[in-house]
Structure formats: structure tokens, C-alpha cells
Amino acid sequence: MVIVITGSASGIGLGVAQAFLQEGHQVVFSDLNQEALSQVAATTPSKNAIFIPCDVSSESACQNLIQESHKVFGSVDVLINNAGFQHVALLEDFPTEVFNKMLQVELVGPFMLTKCAFPLMKAQKFGRILNMASINGLVGFAGKAAYNSAKHGLLGLTKVCALEGALFNITANAICPGYVDTPLVRNQLADLAKTRQMSAQEALEKILYPLIPQKRLIAIEDIAKLALFLASDAAKSITGQPFVIDGGYLAQ
Ligand code: NAD
């Protein structure tokens, strides 16, 4: 299959892209950060991988990503909308331009990419859309007005894609991770540790773990395995669903 995955020069996206590549699929790595993407390209010598820079907040860049992927590999079978960033501030301090940007990257971007990929998927009567949402798509978190809005919206978009794709063998699902062991989360922990004058490990154990019943971060590999399953034939009847993978966080 041909997999197009955004935000795949780092963290979850990189791990998921590598997992699909290891399973023998053709993978289009894509990211806003061209330097990071070039570094991934340099360490991924595979004829099954190509690297296309794309800022998902730009419609022309989204169109180019889908068209180029189709031109090189002949189809687009799985679209994984993963690109994202975080900004934490109270409502009254939240810059409106950052709110708009986050919606553009984490909601409008997935819409624009799906809009481009859907006609190709309908024509080939096969498609898988995977949207990287979050537990923040299901419950509210203080300080994350834009992120919560974008991720809640992404779950709505996922359901519409599922309905419109249903008769064309196109499924759409969302993955909702809790705290994943990524550089982003580790850096946040390091900052927290500095502010609270403790070690990163202490911050993990005293601040984060009390929130997580399994008392561990989610491995990127676990997200990748879920993505592989949702893209597989075994998941052909599963559509329009959010898949929570959070170590028990939302069970409380
Ligand atoms: P990350 O920062 O490691 O990776 C995100 C990638 O997206 C980066 O390479 C970045 O350059 C890219 N990106 C940012 N803006 C972009 C844009 N406009 N166009 C294209 N690419 C862009 O972060 P991550 O932790 O791997 O997060 C990946 C996804 O998973 C995000 O959607 C995030 O919301 C979601 N998520 C992460 C966690 C977590 O614990 N890390 C939990 C739940 C959900």
C-alpha cells in the first residue's frame, strides 16, 4: 500500500512511518520542517520511501503532496493526518492567531488533504484515513483551548469521512493517544522539572504518573501497531471510531 503521513520527521509520525516501511509498504514522509525531513531521508535509504515537504496549513501544499505521491507511487491508499503542535495558555491569554493557526494545521489541514485524496480513493474503491487526535479530542483540558477544539473537531471530521467513504471501501478512524514517550513530552517534563527544581524522572513519577493508571508513557511503537491494524484488511468493517490508547487515563 501507499501511505502518506504528515508530520513524519519527528515523534509519533516518524515511528508510524517507519513501521509501515518495515512492513514493506511504500511510504511518503512529509513535514513542515525541511531540515528534519532531510535528516530522516539521509538515514532512510529505501526505494519504498520518498520525502515531500508540506505545510498542511497551505491548500496548494496539500494538493501537491497528494498529487506528487500519486504520481510517484501510482496510488494513495492510506492517509495519516498526524502533523501538529501544542500551545498552552489560559483562555484570556490565548493569542487568537495561535488559535487560528492550530485549527488550520490540526483540523483544516486534515480536511484539505482528505478532500484531495478522496476522489483517488473513491476511484480505486479503497482507502484508509487515520487521524491522529488525542484524549484531548474527547475530554477538556484547561489551558488547551485550541488543541481541544481542533482535536474534538477532528473526531467530527473522521465520522463524516466514514459516512461518505462507506460505500467505497474507505474507512476513517481516529487514534486518541494519552501521554506518548516522544521528544515533545520529554522536553515538557524537563521544563517542568526545572521549574519545580526536581529531576525529570521525579517530575515523571510525582506529576505525570499519578494521572496515569498504568504509570508509564505510551510507546510510539504501540501507536504504530494500532495504525497498522486500522490500515489492514482485518479492520475493514471498523470506521468512524476514536481509538483511545492512554494507559487507562480516561477510565478514571
Ligand atoms: P512532534 O512535535 O514530535 O511531531 C509533530 C511533527 O509535525 C513535527 O515534525 C512538526 O514539524 C510537524 N508539523 C508541525 N506543524 C506542521 C505543519 N503546519 N505542516 C506539516 N507538519 C507540521 O509531535 P508528536 O508528539 O509526535 O505529535 C504527533 C501528533 O500526535 C500530533 O497531532 C499530536 O497532537 C498527537 N498527539 C501527541 C501526543 C503525545 O503525547 N506526544 C499525545 C496525543 C496526541
Side-chain angles (χ1 to χ4, degrees), residues 152-168:
H152 273 74
L154 193 54
L155 295 186
L157 177 67
T158 304
K159 290 175 192 165
V160 174
C161 294
L163 297 177
E164 294 194 17
L167 293 180
F168 298 89

Side-chain angles (χ1 to χ4, degrees), residues 173-226:
N173 290 291
I175 296 178
C176 301
Y179 290 96
V180 185
D181 196 352
T182 58
L184 191 102
V185 168
R186 290 281 173 187
N187 288 340
Q188 280 177 0
L189 270 172
D191 289 346
L192 203 60
K194 223 181 271 171
T195 328
R196 305 278 179 99
Q197 297 188 320
M198 50 173 68
S199 71
Q201 187 59 29
E202 272 180 303
L204 190 63
E205 283 167 14
K206 293 190 174 150
I207 301 169
L208 221 48
Y209 283 174
L211 304 171
I212 308 169
Q214 288 188 341
K215 311 254 173 276
R216 59 178 170 77
L217 298 174
I218 310 294
I220 291 177
E221 195 193 349
D222 295 349
I223 310 276
K225 283 183 178 151
L226 179 56

